[in-house]
Amino acid sequence: MDEFRKLQKFHVDSMVSEAKKLGRQSKDIEERIEEIRRKSERRRSAFQMLNTQIESLGFIVTAVDNVVNNLANIRNLVEEVEENMMELEDLIEEQETEKKILDAKVQFIIHRERRSKDLDNLKEDIKLEHLSKVKQYELSQMEQLKAKQKQYEQAFQKDVEDFVSKGKLPEETVRAI
């Protein structure tokens, strides 16, 4: 009977030892899972921030479009004012009887039209240059964002492959996070 108790005590001790060992292993696994969860949460936050920044580009484009539309409206108003001024000048010219006053008004109209054309040409040049710069800026921003996104995707895919093949993240990835 004594041997039975020893054998029984041995089995109980070994089961207790095995249970403690399994408890430690489960605690280690739980800590690793929590660490992965925290890293995933940080990455999710980073992706959300990136997504928010990408969404804000639409607002910038809309604002630029509004500025361009406002410039077009201003140009139309300037043309309308110019037309009205020319009509007024025509009426004044018809009413003027003296040749000297008429000649001075004609010279004034010619000078103003030349300046107006110069101004319109300058406005058009500035508008085209502005549109070109805006497009270049937007293209460069999109290229930068695409490059960053591709870099993040490649790093994430490598981490996933490493995790799947090894069951854990590489040490440099864990430190980088």
Side-chain angles (χ1 to χ4, degrees):
M1 189 68 153
D2 199 25
E3 242 179 81
F4 175 73
R5 288 188 184 218
K6 286 181 184 178
L7 185 58
Q8 187 180 16
K9 184 176 189 278
F10 173 74
H11 284 299
V12 168
D13 289 345
S14 67
M15 282 195 279
V16 168
S17 171
E18 191 64 29
K20 288 179 181 178
K21 181 179 174 184
L22 289 174
R24 284 189 302 269
Q25 288 176 346
S26 68
K27 184 178 178 184
D28 288 345
I29 290 171
E30 183 180 331
E31 288 173 358
R32 288 180 188 165
I33 289 171
E34 180 60 25
E35 182 179 332
I36 291 170
R37 186 200 62 77
R38 285 192 306 268
K39 290 176 187 176
S40 297
E41 183 62 30
R42 284 192 298 260
R43 286 184 182 164
R44 184 185 64 77
S45 295
F47 282 122
Q48 284 176 338
M49 184 172 52
L50 178 61
N51 192 23
T52 302
Q53 291 172 350
I54 289 171
E55 287 175 358
S56 70
L57 287 176
F59 297 121
I60 293 171
V61 169
T62 302
V64 170
D65 286 343
N66 289 339
V67 168
V68 170
N69 290 337
N70 287 340
L71 288 174
N73 290 337
I74 290 172
R75 182 177 181 195
N76 290 337
L77 290 173
V78 168
E79 288 174 0
E80 185 179 329
V81 168
E82 285 179 358
E83 288 175 7
N84 291 335
M85 288 178 70
M86 290 181 74
E87 288 176 13
L88 178 61
E89 287 176 9
D90 288 341
L91 289 174
I92 293 172
E93 287 178 39
E94 290 175 12
Q95 293 177 357
E96 293 294 328
T97 57
E98 295 179 20
K99 186 172 175 41
K100 188 176 183 180
I101 295 173
L102 182 62
D103 289 341
K105 287 184 179 180
V106 169
Q107 290 299 321
F108 176 73
I109 290 171
I110 291 170
H111 176 73
R112 192 183 69 225
E113 287 178 355
R114 196 176 310 131
R115 288 296 182 183
S116 176
K117 286 179 183 178
D118 291 345
L119 180 61
D120 287 344
N121 290 339
L122 181 61
K123 285 180 182 178
E124 189 63 29
D125 291 344
I126 290 172
K127 180 181 172 183
L128 292 174
E129 181 180 339
H130 175 72
L131 289 174
S132 174
K133 287 181 180 181
V134 167
K135 285 180 183 178
Q136 288 174 354
Y137 176 76
E138 290 174 352
L139 286 174
S140 70
Q141 290 296 312
M142 289 302 291
E143 288 173 4
Q144 289 175 0
L145 287 173
K146 285 180 182 178
K148 285 181 181 179
Q149 181 68 27
K150 185 176 181 180
Q151 187 180 25
Y152 289 140
E153 286 174 1
Q154 288 173 348
F156 179 74
Q157 188 61 35
K158 183 179 180 310
D159 289 347
V160 168
E161 289 172 5
D162 288 347
F163 181 77
V164 168
S165 66
K166 298 178 183 175
K168 65 178 185 174
L169 291 174
E171 288 299 317
E172 62 263 3
T173 302
V174 172
R175 287 188 199 120
I177 294 173

